[in-house]
Amino acid sequence: MGSHAFALAVFVLTTPAVAYASSAPSHDLPDSKLTPGMTDPAVTQANIQTTICVSGYTATVRPPTSYTNRLKSDQLNDPKYRYKDRVLADYEEDHLVPLELGGNPRDPKNLWPELYAGVNGARVKDQLEDRLKRLVCSGVVSLQE
């Protein structure tokens, strides 16, 4: 394992959002069959300094709330997703591969209703995403890693 991969592994293993993944209650993590995650082909390692590493980048690609709220409602009410709590305000329609790490902005395979509450809730994941972006943009970790 290279030093960058080792640093990432140590980081991930010491981060609460990942440390509790194995015992996560229902919907702390998305169903990998319904939300496998998708990347944005417009973001590459070669152009991160002009895309994801630019302050405000995510605002330029983030889909409108009219799109994400409609998708969130559809997913919460779709029996395949098996949500018991269907209160839209309890969830953030979140990107599995974060926009700030080159996630696809609009592909439903990259979006899922993530609870705000809980050990692995949306706000915890947001902190992890910010830390990973700093590592990628500083060159400590590659976008692929």
Side-chain angles (χ1 to χ4, degrees):
M1 180 182 299
S3 62
H4 297 305
F6 178 76
L8 180 61
V10 169
F11 172 77
V12 169
L13 291 174
T14 59
T15 303
V18 176
Y20 293 103
S22 62
S23 61
S26 177
H27 296 97
D28 267 11
L29 300 171
D31 181 322
S32 62
K33 291 180 184 118
L34 300 171
T35 312
M38 300 297 286
T39 58
D40 184 346
V43 177
T44 66
Q45 184 67 45
N47 72 10
I48 62 171
Q49 294 305 321
T50 60
T51 56
I52 65 169
C53 297
V54 173
S55 180
Y57 167 78
T58 59
T60 68
V61 297
R62 186 174 306 283
T65 56
S66 59
Y67 174 78
T68 56
N69 281 346
R70 185 174 51 252
L71 182 60
K72 177 171 49 172
S73 177
D74 290 349
Q75 290 170 333
L76 287 173
N77 290 296
D78 185 330
K80 291 184 297 195
Y81 285 85
R82 299 183 312 275
Y83 283 96
K84 291 179 184 162
D85 172 5
R86 294 191 175 118
V87 178
L88 269 63
D90 291 348
Y91 299 89
E92 171 183 316
E93 186 70 6
D94 203 11
H95 294 87
L96 181 62
V97 179
L99 294 179
E100 56 194 329
L101 293 171
N104 192 297
R106 295 182 70 97
D107 191 321
K109 292 180 182 175
N110 196 43
L111 287 153
W112 64 292
E114 180 181 23
L115 279 168
Y116 283 112
V119 174
N120 298 311
R123 291 179 180 91
V124 173
K125 182 175 175 280
D126 290 346
Q127 292 173 10
L128 174 62
E129 292 168 3
D130 291 343
R131 290 172 69 185
L132 287 172
K133 178 188 172 190
R134 285 192 298 274
L135 290 171
V136 168
C137 291
S138 66
V140 172
V141 175
S142 74
L143 189 58
Q144 181 62 35
E145 287 177 298

